[in-house]
Amino acid sequence: MTHAHITAWVIAFILFFVVLSLQKKHSPKAKMVAMVLRLFYLFIIATGGFLLHTLATIPPLYIVKTVVGIWVIGAMEMVMARTKKGKSTQIAWVQLLVAFLLALYLGLKLPLGFHVFS
Ligand code: HEM
């Protein structure tokens, strides 16, 4: 399930950058790719949920990891919405970067799957 979780968010990031480039070209396809991206959000949440499900009790850091994971998704949506409207995206990008690095750090530190930071 760890591999499925990582695959889901890697594909989601690729789709996210595809949506942004399509939005910049004002392509009508941006909407369709954004819908597929939202399906991948569900895969991220479902695979993360399965990882949580393997635990007998859920330590507080896992709650933090879940909230940060959802924050990453929220920040991606914020970047896309603001790019589409032609508004400034700086704050949204900073949030995305901070949330992503936190999710990466917490995911790799927590005891399931790969251990890079622990
Ligand atoms: C795009 C957002 C997300 C990113 C970038 C992300 C990243 C990661 C990474 C790098 C890992 C480590 C995999 C491993 O164990 O080797 C991980 C594990 C995990 N993620 Fe996520 N994640 C995201 C969203 C979520 C969400 C929304 C949830 C909750 C529903 C979640 C729950 C978990 C859980 C429970 C683990 C296992 C932690 C452990 O290793 O003990 N993640 N995630």
Side-chain angles (χ1 to χ4, degrees):
M1 200 43 72
T2 297
H3 289 98
H5 187 59
I6 295 175
T7 308
W9 62 254
V10 169
I11 295 176
F13 267 100
I14 295 169
L15 291 173
F16 169 71
F17 286 106
V18 172
V19 172
L20 286 185
S21 76
L22 289 172
Q23 278 180 341
K24 279 181 191 146
K25 285 189 259 175
H26 300 287
S27 165
K29 284 185 191 149
K31 222 172 205 167
M32 195 186 73
V33 182
M35 295 298 276
V36 181
L37 170 59
R38 286 176 190 133
L39 187 67
F40 273 84
Y41 294 159
L42 294 183
F43 291 152
I44 297 170
I45 294 168
T47 50
F50 269 113
L51 286 166
L52 288 175
H53 188 72
T54 61
L55 302 166
T57 55
I58 299 178
L61 216 47
Y62 276 86
I63 312 272
V64 179
K65 168 71 179 69
T66 302
V67 172
V68 170
I70 291 165
W71 182 21
V72 175
I73 295 173
M76 284 162 105
E77 280 296 309
M78 208 183 281
V79 171
M80 289 191 304
R82 297 188 72 89
T83 304
K84 194 174 163 188
K85 289 182 195 156
K87 288 188 181 170
S88 150
T89 53
Q90 210 174 350
I91 294 168
W93 276 111
V94 172
Q95 279 195 48
L96 181 56
L97 188 69
V98 171
F100 176 69
L101 291 178
L102 262 176
L104 213 58
Y105 175 72
L106 286 172
L108 296 175
K109 187 180 158 61
L110 286 168
L112 303 174
F114 302 102
H115 309 137
V116 175
F117 298 112
S118 57

Short mmCIF file of all heavy atoms in Angstrom, two decimals, residues 4 19 26 29-30 36 43 51-52 69 87 97 106 113:
data_model
loop_
_atom_site.label_atom_id
_atom_site.label_comp_id
_atom_site.label_asym_id
_atom_site.label_seq_id
_atom_site.Cartn_x
_atom_site.Cartn_y
_atom_site.Cartn_z
N ALA A 4 1.54 2.04 -3.56
CA ALA A 4 0.34 2.60 -4.20
C ALA A 4 0.17 4.06 -3.80
O ALA A 4 -0.18 4.91 -4.62
CB ALA A 4 -0.88 1.77 -3.81
N VAL A 19 -2.05 20.17 -15.96
CA VAL A 19 -3.18 21.11 -15.87
C VAL A 19 -2.68 22.55 -15.96
O VAL A 19 -3.21 23.35 -16.72
CB VAL A 19 -4.00 20.90 -14.57
CG1 VAL A 19 -5.04 22.01 -14.39
CG2 VAL A 19 -4.68 19.54 -14.55
N HIS A 26 -4.64 28.27 -22.22
CA HIS A 26 -6.10 28.43 -22.31
C HIS A 26 -6.75 27.27 -23.05
O HIS A 26 -7.72 27.46 -23.78
CB HIS A 26 -6.47 29.77 -22.96
CG HIS A 26 -5.93 30.95 -22.19
ND1 HIS A 26 -6.47 31.35 -20.99
CD2 HIS A 26 -4.89 31.76 -22.43
CE1 HIS A 26 -5.77 32.37 -20.52
NE2 HIS A 26 -4.80 32.64 -21.38
N LYS A 29 -8.86 21.51 -22.65
CA LYS A 29 -8.56 20.18 -22.08
C LYS A 29 -8.18 20.27 -20.60
O LYS A 29 -8.18 19.25 -19.90
CB LYS A 29 -7.42 19.52 -22.85
CG LYS A 29 -7.84 18.98 -24.19
CD LYS A 29 -6.67 18.25 -24.82
CE LYS A 29 -6.98 17.93 -26.28
NZ LYS A 29 -5.78 17.92 -27.09
N ALA A 30 -7.83 21.47 -20.12
CA ALA A 30 -7.38 21.64 -18.74
C ALA A 30 -8.43 21.10 -17.76
O ALA A 30 -8.11 20.44 -16.78
CB ALA A 30 -7.10 23.11 -18.45
N VAL A 36 -9.43 14.29 -13.83
CA VAL A 36 -8.66 13.06 -13.60
C VAL A 36 -7.77 13.27 -12.37
O VAL A 36 -7.65 12.37 -11.53
CB VAL A 36 -7.81 12.70 -14.85
CG1 VAL A 36 -7.02 11.42 -14.61
CG2 VAL A 36 -8.70 12.56 -16.08
N PHE A 43 -7.52 8.64 -4.75
CA PHE A 43 -6.59 7.50 -4.58
C PHE A 43 -5.59 7.79 -3.46
O PHE A 43 -5.26 6.92 -2.67
CB PHE A 43 -5.82 7.22 -5.88
CG PHE A 43 -6.67 6.67 -6.99
CD1 PHE A 43 -6.32 6.89 -8.32
CD2 PHE A 43 -7.81 5.92 -6.73
CE1 PHE A 43 -7.10 6.39 -9.37
CE2 PHE A 43 -8.60 5.43 -7.76
CZ PHE A 43 -8.24 5.66 -9.08
N LEU A 51 -3.30 2.80 4.82
CA LEU A 51 -2.11 2.76 5.68
C LEU A 51 -2.50 3.00 7.14
O LEU A 51 -2.01 2.32 8.04
CB LEU A 51 -1.08 3.79 5.21
CG LEU A 51 -0.33 3.43 3.92
CD1 LEU A 51 0.41 4.63 3.36
CD2 LEU A 51 0.65 2.29 4.17
N LEU A 52 -3.42 3.97 7.35
CA LEU A 52 -3.89 4.25 8.72
C LEU A 52 -4.61 3.04 9.30
O LEU A 52 -4.49 2.72 10.48
CB LEU A 52 -4.85 5.45 8.72
CG LEU A 52 -4.25 6.83 8.49
CD1 LEU A 52 -5.36 7.86 8.39
CD2 LEU A 52 -3.30 7.21 9.62
N GLY A 69 -1.19 16.09 4.49
CA GLY A 69 -1.49 15.49 3.18
C GLY A 69 -2.67 16.18 2.51
O GLY A 69 -2.64 16.48 1.31
N LYS A 87 -4.81 35.30 -11.12
CA LYS A 87 -4.42 36.01 -9.89
C LYS A 87 -3.01 35.60 -9.48
O LYS A 87 -2.47 34.62 -9.98
CB LYS A 87 -5.39 35.64 -8.76
CG LYS A 87 -6.76 36.26 -8.90
CD LYS A 87 -7.54 35.97 -7.64
CE LYS A 87 -8.95 36.51 -7.68
NZ LYS A 87 -9.74 36.00 -6.55
N LEU A 97 4.74 24.13 -1.40
CA LEU A 97 6.10 23.67 -1.15
C LEU A 97 6.26 23.25 0.31
O LEU A 97 6.78 22.16 0.60
CB LEU A 97 7.09 24.79 -1.50
CG LEU A 97 8.55 24.38 -1.46
CD1 LEU A 97 8.86 23.41 -2.60
CD2 LEU A 97 9.48 25.58 -1.53
N LEU A 106 7.32 13.76 7.10
CA LEU A 106 6.54 12.96 8.07
C LEU A 106 6.33 11.54 7.55
O LEU A 106 6.48 10.58 8.29
CB LEU A 106 5.19 13.62 8.33
CG LEU A 106 5.22 14.87 9.21
CD1 LEU A 106 3.85 15.54 9.23
CD2 LEU A 106 5.64 14.53 10.63
N GLY A 113 6.49 1.51 5.97
CA GLY A 113 7.17 1.73 4.68
C GLY A 113 8.65 2.08 4.81
O GLY A 113 9.35 1.51 5.64
#
